[in-house]
Amino acid sequence: MLGIEVRSPDRDAIQGFVEEEDEPDPVIDGLRAAAANLKRFTGPQTMEIWSPRVVKQLWQSFYSNMEGLHFQSERDTSEHPTPLLLAAILYVSALHHTSDKLAALAPHYFRATCSAIAELSIPSFLKTSELRVSFDKNNTPASAEQIAFQNVLGLILAGLISEAFIDLTGIWISIGYRLCLDYCPVWVDERSSKWRQLFSGLQIIDLEHASLHLSCPVIPLKAPLPSLRQLQSFVEDPFKRLTEMMHVGLSHFAGRGLPTIWSFVSSTALEGSPLPIFPFTDTDAKIIKEWAKNLDDWLATSNSKLGTITILHATKSQGPSVTQGDRIQIMRQYSLHRLFVLSIYHPARGFDLFADNVASIERHELLLSARTTLRLQNNDKGIWANWDLVIITWAAIIVLQATEGGVGEHDDLPLVQTHLNMLKRTHRPAPSLCHTLASRLETWLQSINTPPDGNAELTQLEYDPSWAIFDENSIRLAPESLFQQLNDAPSNTENVQQSHDLTLMSPQSRGFGNTRLWSGHEQVYDTWPPNFLRLFGSADYQPQNNAMSNQ
């Protein structure tokens, strides 16, 4: 997501984190071998990024602020971290940190992550240094399967925050897929269940990256290995069906040379060269209508299933129900996917909301979805993934087009400005996705000509719902009270987190586990769990006995 330009960190900025000689520490001991290996990719002027205190702070910040990797505990990871997984975790942690000092280190961890990924394609006899893998307390070397598992997880983390922005993300996904095929256990057992979750994570990142570039997905819809295929489908998991819909729909439009959402939001010019004509076929219309119908059905079915799970959840847990967050996730994904489906052919029409070949019903439906998507950020504080940010920025640009064309609403510009301010608040060093999106949106915002009288009634479109692709009522299925309930509810992780801080974190680093200090954007509740659960599935949707057995 960033790291294209690696600068030497300010020595004064990190001087407080550097230790001349580290002392024995149960948290950092398991990371020493991987960190020593990664030092090969770091220049002497930036060696401070591997100081024990910095590594420990970022490592603990990562595991204190995410729970979505329910199948891979911190203890399991710290016993056998590969250099790639360690670099990816440190990169993700630094990238989402609100500390300017730690966020400034992200480009250097990105470079180490890329170097570790590159080594996966280099024969061992050509490497400058033999890849060392840490040992557990019994001095037992990690198995080839464990090493591959850790590397795939590292590739998923790197891909999650690089999708769209880094073109090579698709190649990283391909490497992860190859490792899954080579090292996933053949038989269905506890270990293959975890590999199934990695496969799911790879598949979702692949689809999100491919959708923004309209490229062909790398990961197939159905896993080729029996062990992955048999465990791939959990009917209770609402995101599994969403993945299937995206894969089927995207496969029809990919590889046709159509202009993409990413090509527009990443452009530095308001108007480019004239685009060729891309005919919209009857088959295209049929695919989009079926996609829309399936999305509406998915929203209704998912909400219905979550109502059942809520009852089961209440019998075994106290505190705020996890399903409140699930409902927000589902509404978020529905809104984003709905706008994506309606926007597939909009770039091919020259990104012009008022083109002659755009019917008024299409314009209305696109604007309705764009405004709904843009309003997500008012209540949903769990938005940070690349795909989410790109689609919401795309929504903001569509809304600006409507405002300039005289069909805006009075809260359009404040909504756009709120999103722009959120992008600008990032602590990530430039260049980054947030900087790119903010620059594009600000350029567009400054260029539009708004109606002269801000209090005048703006023109409203005539609308006949019988011609709509989506059910207009579906977009309103998430009441405002749902967001308010979750935002007002006390977190049931505070006591656990406090215990973790007191036992593991140094006085200087205590508090980095606070979710308000984790992301570059303001947060009211945990953001990591919902996004990781979207990738790997919730523990509520997995078989009860899915812990990886000791090897």
Side-chain angles (χ1 to χ4, degrees):
M1 181 175 170
L2 55 84
I4 305 301
E5 181 180 353
V6 180
R7 305 181 181 90
S8 298
D10 185 354
R11 296 183 64 90
D12 294 335
I14 61 176
Q15 184 176 6
F17 301 114
V18 179
E19 295 177 351
E20 293 295 332
E21 187 65 33
D22 51 297
E23 299 177 355
D25 189 324
V27 177
I28 203 72
D29 285 347
L31 313 178
R32 295 180 189 275
N37 186 284
L38 291 167
K39 287 181 180 179
R40 297 179 294 119
F41 308 129
T42 307
Q45 73 278 10
T46 59
M47 200 60 67
E48 296 92 338
I49 67 172
W50 304 113
S51 73
R53 180 178 294 182
V54 173
V55 171
K56 179 179 178 179
Q57 284 184 325
L58 291 175
W59 178 270
Q60 290 186 324
S61 180
F62 180 87
Y63 273 99
S64 296
N65 289 279
M66 50 72 64
E67 299 173 1
L69 295 181
H70 50 83
F71 61 95
Q72 187 71 4
S73 68
E74 180 182 4
R75 179 184 59 81
D76 293 337
T77 305
S78 62
E79 287 181 355
H80 300 287
T82 60
L84 170 55
L85 180 57
L86 176 61
I89 287 178
L90 298 180
Y91 172 48
V92 173
S93 185
L95 193 66
H96 287 86
H97 220 291
T98 56
S99 165
D100 291 332
K101 298 176 182 179
L102 293 177
L105 305 180
H108 304 281
Y109 291 121
F110 178 79
R111 184 173 186 174
T113 301
C114 292
S115 298
I117 293 174
E119 280 215 329
L120 297 178
S121 302
I122 301 176
S124 58
F125 63 87
L126 292 179
K127 294 178 182 178
T128 56
S129 175
E130 188 64 27
L131 186 65
R132 292 174 291 175
V133 179
S134 61
F135 296 81
D136 61 20
K137 58 185 178 182
N138 297 319
N139 204 38
T140 303
S143 67
E145 180 189 332
Q146 285 177 311
I147 294 173
F149 186 93
Q150 301 275 352
N151 283 336
V152 174
L153 183 54
L155 287 165
I156 290 174
L157 295 178
L160 176 64
I161 49 181
S162 300
E163 59 184 13
F165 191 66
I166 303 297
D167 292 340
L168 294 178
T169 301
I171 295 179
W172 298 353
I173 294 170
S174 300
I175 296 174
Y177 179 47
R178 182 72 260 171
L179 291 175
C180 280
L181 297 181
D182 289 346
Y183 292 97
C184 176
V186 177
W187 306 108
V188 177
D189 59 11
E190 295 168 345
R191 299 191 343 264
S192 59
S193 176
K194 286 194 171 186
W195 279 96
R196 197 278 318 167
Q197 292 167 295
L198 285 189
F199 182 86
S200 173
L202 277 174
Q203 191 174 53
I204 292 176
I205 293 174
D206 180 33
L207 288 173
E208 291 184 346
H209 180 74
S211 66
L212 294 177
H213 294 274
L214 282 185
S215 57
C216 297
V218 173
I219 312 298
L221 180 58
K222 301 296 182 182
L225 296 180
S227 54
L228 289 175
R229 188 166 55 248
Q230 185 167 339
L231 291 164
Q232 189 176 6
S233 178
F234 293 105
V235 294
E236 297 89 353
D237 189 343
F239 301 108
K240 180 65 179 66
R241 188 180 171 200
L242 189 65
T243 298
E244 294 175 350
M245 284 186 285
M246 173 69 93
H247 200 287
V248 172
L250 184 61
S251 297
H252 174 76
F253 293 97
R256 291 167 55 178
L258 296 174
T260 66
I261 292 175
W262 175 249
S263 67
F264 184 73
V265 299
S266 62
S267 174
T268 57
L270 288 177
E271 296 183 2
S273 56
L275 295 173
I277 298 176
F278 296 91
F280 187 72
T281 67
D282 292 339
T283 303
D284 294 337
K286 181 179 179 181
I287 293 292
I288 288 178
K289 289 180 180 179
E290 185 67 21
W291 198 344
K293 179 181 181 300
N294 289 337
L295 270 175
D296 283 336
D297 292 343
W298 173 81
L299 177 65
T301 302
S302 298
N303 281 328
S304 176
K305 287 182 177 179
L306 282 178
T308 302
I309 295 175
T310 301
I311 298 175
L312 298 176
H313 187 278
T315 64
K316 62 181 181 179
S317 175
Q318 296 180 351
S321 173
V322 173
T323 55
Q324 290 177 326
D326 289 340
R327 289 182 185 278
I328 290 178
Q329 272 199 93
I330 286 173
M331 196 60 205
R332 178 199 309 157
Q333 292 303 312
Y334 173 80
S335 300
L336 295 172
H337 280 252
R338 171 175 169 142
L339 180 59
F340 174 78
V341 171
L342 291 172
S343 300
I344 283 181
Y345 238 80
H346 188 56
R349 291 167 169 170
F351 307 98
D352 186 359
L353 193 64
F354 300 95
D356 294 336
N357 56 355
V358 178
S360 60
I361 178 61
E362 294 178 89
R363 188 181 306 121
H364 174 90
E365 197 165 16
L366 187 60
L367 274 174
L368 175 66
S369 290
R371 289 191 177 103
T372 302
T373 300
L374 195 55
R375 290 189 180 101
L376 285 175
Q377 61 197 346
N378 288 346
N379 296 295
D380 187 351
K381 305 304 180 181
I383 295 173
W384 61 265
N386 286 21
W387 197 78
D388 300 356
L389 294 176
V390 171
I391 296 298
I392 293 175
T393 303
W394 170 248
I397 293 175
I398 292 175
V399 168
L400 287 179
Q401 279 191 331
T403 300
E404 188 172 29
V407 291
E409 295 183 355
H410 292 296
D411 62 343
D412 282 351
L413 292 182
L415 282 172
V416 172
Q417 189 63 54
T418 297
H419 180 60
L420 178 60
N421 293 340
M422 182 273 295
L423 292 172
K424 286 183 172 182
R425 283 201 303 268
T426 181
H427 291 255
R428 305 168 187 178
S432 74
L433 177 68
C434 289
H435 288 91
T436 298
L437 297 179
S439 176
R440 175 60 163 157
L441 187 55
E442 189 167 36
T443 298
W444 193 282
L445 183 60
Q446 293 174 351
S447 68
I448 66 169
N449 296 313
T450 57
D453 184 2
N455 295 320
E457 289 295 329
L458 299 178
T459 305
Q460 298 300 316
L461 294 169
E462 295 183 2
Y463 176 60
D464 181 0
S466 63
W467 290 91
I469 296 177
F470 282 91
D471 180 359
E472 185 174 1
N473 293 323
S474 296
I475 208 73
R476 302 188 176 96
L477 286 183
E480 293 288 326
S481 59
L482 175 62
F483 293 99
Q484 192 63 39
Q485 289 172 12
L486 186 59
N487 292 341
D488 291 344
S491 173
N492 61 355
T493 62
E494 289 180 356
N495 294 336
V496 176
Q497 184 59 57
Q498 183 178 7
S499 174
H500 180 79
D501 290 343
L502 292 176
T503 56
L504 295 180
M505 303 190 77
S506 62
Q508 295 89 341
S509 63
R510 192 172 298 163
F512 280 100
N514 187 333
T515 54
R516 291 185 179 273
L517 297 177
W518 172 245
S519 174
H521 310 136
E522 290 185 17
Q523 299 182 191
V524 178
Y525 58 89
D526 295 340
T527 55
W528 276 100
N531 285 279
F532 276 118
L533 295 180
R534 177 175 58 90
L535 293 180
F536 303 115
S538 169
D540 293 336
Y541 306 135
Q542 310 303 329
Q544 292 183 357
N545 186 18
N546 72 338
M548 180 174 276
S549 58
N550 294 329
Q551 302 183 36

